[in-house]
Every structure is written in structure tokens, then in C-alpha cells.
């Protein structure tokens, strides 16, 4: 019996709306690095999980990071990805910092690319824009997060390469 959080790789259980990005389903782990003009650069370990409840047109998303050197927890976030049949996608994310994102974007099932642009960044005193780009390259999930604040224009903030467990 499947519980409502179980990830399924069987396409017969995956909702038709989720099928084009079902390659993301599962748990991914790897390392990344971050930086921004107003903070020191850093490296981190990361685990990212996409799960799907059969019959629902949405994927659950959760992410957590640790300091690479010490293993000390750093950041976590979770949310939902809603792909649409027309190649667009809506994403909501709540971060452990209290910041929330509503993002819209596009996906290309053939190229295995998802590009997101913030529509709303809520409960943020400094951050005004966030973009995220995910891509499968040689079987690995790579991403780049860009950020803009009231003082700094849009530029890279995070990047990582993750392998499917």
C-alpha cells in the first residue's frame, strides 16, 4: 500500500501533468557553493527530494543543506511544483528563514530544463527577486539560483550538482 508521500517511478501512477518532469522524482544529493556581494562565499552539502502522490497534478519539493566542513545544518525549504500541459509551471516555496516565493516559469521535457522566475518574494526585507534554473546534465541535476536585493542587481547566489540516490 502506498502512502500519500511515496515517490513512484512507475509512469502508470504519475499524473499526466507531472509526467513531463517526472525525471526529477526521487532524492538527489551532492555539493554546492554560494556567494553574493554582501556575504562571504561558502560550500555546502545538499539533499533535494521530489515526491508525488499518485493522481495529483503536483510534486512536493524539499531541500536541506549542511556546512560542507562541519555537517552543521544551514538552510531548508519546501514547497510544491505544479507543471501545466502547456509547458508552464507554478512553484511555491517556503524557506526556513521565513521567506516565501511564488514562482512561475517553463519546462522543456526533452531538454530536461526548468526555468523559474519569482512573481512574489514575501516576508523579505531585502530580497526582491529570485530566479532558479534546473537542468539534467549527464544524469546529474545541476541548478543555479540568482538573487537581487534592494542594493544588488540580479546575480548568481547558489549553484550545485546533485546525483540521484
Amino acid at each position: 500500500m502506498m502512502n500519500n508521500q511515496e515517490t513512484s517511478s512507475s509512469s502508470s501512477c504519475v499524473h499526466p501533468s507531472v509526467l513531463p518532469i517526472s525525471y526529477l522524482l526521487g532524492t538527489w544529493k551532492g555539493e554546492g557553493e554560494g556567494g553574493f556581494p554582501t556575504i562571504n562565499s561558502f560550500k555546502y552539502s545538499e539533499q533535494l527530494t521530489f515526491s508525488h502522490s499518485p493522481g495529483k497534478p503536483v510534486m512536493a519539493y524539499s531541500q536541506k543543506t549542511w556546512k560542507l566542513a562541519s555537517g552543521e545544518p544551514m538552510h531548508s525549504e519546501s514547497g510544491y511544483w505544479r507543471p501545466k500541459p502547456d509547458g508552464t509551471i507554478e512553484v511555491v516555496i517556503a524557506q526556513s528563514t521565513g521567506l516565501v516565493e511564488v514562482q512561475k516559469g517553463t519546462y522543456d521535457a526533452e531538454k530536461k530544463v526548468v526555468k523559474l522566475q519569482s512573481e512574489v518574494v514575501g516576508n523579505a526585507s531585502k530580497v526582491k527577486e529570485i530566479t532558479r534554473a534546473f537542468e539534467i546534465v549527464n544524469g546529474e541535476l545541476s541548478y543555479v539560483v540568482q538573487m537581487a536585493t534592494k542594493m544588488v542587481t540580479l546575480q548568481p547566489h547558489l549553484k550545485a550538482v546533485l546525483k540521484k540516490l
Side-chain angles (χ1 to χ4, degrees):
M1 189 167 133
M2 296 175 71
N3 70 31
N4 65 355
Q5 288 297 314
E6 188 168 337
T7 301
S8 171
S9 59
S10 167
S11 60
S12 64
C13 295
V14 177
H15 191 279
S17 293
V18 172
L19 203 52
I21 62 169
S22 62
Y23 60 85
L24 291 170
L25 290 171
T27 298
W28 302 79
K29 196 166 188 176
E31 295 179 359
E33 55 187 65
F36 204 68
T38 56
I39 61 173
N40 292 327
S41 295
F42 56 94
K43 294 186 182 249
Y44 57 92
S45 295
E46 175 172 5
Q47 182 170 306
L48 193 152
T49 301
F50 289 95
S51 59
H52 173 62
S53 296
K56 299 292 184 183
V58 64
M59 290 188 339
Y61 159 87
S62 66
Q63 179 262 17
K64 53 187 172 180
T65 60
W66 304 265
K67 288 184 180 177
L68 194 55
S70 67
E72 179 185 343
M74 290 178 66
H75 175 84
S76 64
E77 59 188 41
S78 61
Y80 295 95
W81 292 41
R82 293 179 52 90
K84 305 291 186 174
D86 66 358
T88 62
I89 187 167
E90 300 169 349
V91 175
V92 293
I93 296 171
Q95 298 187 18
S96 57
T97 59
L99 187 143
V100 294
E101 301 171 52
V102 176
Q103 298 193 328
K104 291 188 178 181
T106 59
Y107 65 85
D108 184 322
E110 227 174 271
K111 294 180 181 174
K112 296 187 176 178
V113 172
V114 178
K115 294 183 179 179
L116 303 170
Q117 168 74 44
S118 58
E119 293 282 313
V120 174
V121 179
N123 202 30
S125 60
K126 296 176 185 169
V127 178
K128 67 177 192 176
E129 182 181 2
I130 298 171
T131 67
R132 297 173 183 245
F134 295 81
E135 183 176 16
I136 300 291
V137 178
N138 298 322
E140 296 179 326
L141 177 60
S142 66
Y143 72 78
V144 173
V145 175
Q146 295 191 94
M147 181 172 70
T149 65
K150 292 177 181 176
M151 304 293 287
V152 180
T153 59
L154 188 68
Q155 56 191 283
H157 173 47
L158 304 169
K159 66 180 178 178
V161 177
L162 311 172
K163 294 181 182 198
K164 198 173 224 180
L165 297 181

